[in-house]
Amino acid sequence: MIIAIDGPSGAGKSTVAKAVAKKLGFSCLDTGAMYRSVALLALGQGVALDDDAALGELARTCTIAFEHAEGDPIPKEVILNGENVTADIRTAEIDKAVSPVSAAPSVRTAMVEQQRAVGATGDYVIEGRDIGTTVFPDAELKVFLTASDEERAHRRVRQNVDRGVGSIEYEEVLDDLKRRDAVDSTRTTSPLRAADDAVVIDSTDHYIEEVIDEICLLAHERGASSLRSCDAQDA
């Protein structure tokens, strides 16, 4: 079973996807980390962010892997060409570079192939911006997770404070989110949008646990056979 969770930056997709995967006993794939890894390579090698051919070559030839703690379906580390880049891909510089890199058609083609190959191996919660529309259009459950611009900016600032990377200036973060939304929703290849059959969830005025439980129950309705308790108190 594939659960596709799409939505704009800062909507809480990664947090929700990981929690849902744990509750359902699914694996979790962070597609954003894959695009961020390509962006890191591009910046490190001086590749222009609008050079589709060069970016595509990076995407096709790089090796991106996720390492897990034993028994944990949630990846703990991102390994790019044999190096741990978990922290390197979560900087403000990468925040700015990832949208143009992910808009490159050749990059998306390379990443989509990898994502489909991973998803074919088992039950996955997969989050991104085009999972339900392009990568897995036949996913059993599609969710489009969103929130107000202001709420997303506040969340991203708190996240950056907690992880010690990225900007913690609210206005800067808000402007960057709006910029990324504009780029992601207007790109010609796989633009950010809700799939026609997606369940749209606005998390602005909801606790994250409520969103997680709602998606778990939707998964149960769609036939998630490995569903465990979706009580918010479930450990």
Side-chain angles (χ1 to χ4, degrees), residues 44-68:
Q45 297 184 22
V47 173
L49 301 185
D50 59 355
D51 188 336
D52 180 70
L55 291 172
E57 181 66 15
L58 290 179
R60 286 189 298 272
T61 58
C62 71
T63 300
I64 303 171
F66 296 91
E67 292 196 349
H68 302 252

Side-chain angles (χ1 to χ4, degrees), residues 37 63-68 75 77-83 85 114:
S37 295
T63 300
I64 303 171
F66 296 91
E67 292 196 349
H68 302 252
E77 296 179 344
V78 182
I79 309 300
L80 173 63
N81 293 335
E83 295 186 10
V85 296
Q114 292 190 37

Side-chain angles (χ1 to χ4, degrees), residues 156-174:
R156 180 52 57 86
V157 168
R158 291 195 296 270
Q159 183 184 56
N160 290 349
V161 169
D162 290 342
R163 66 190 185 186
V165 295
S167 175
I168 59 174
E169 298 296 329
Y170 171 77
E171 291 297 337
E172 180 181 353
V173 171
L174 179 61

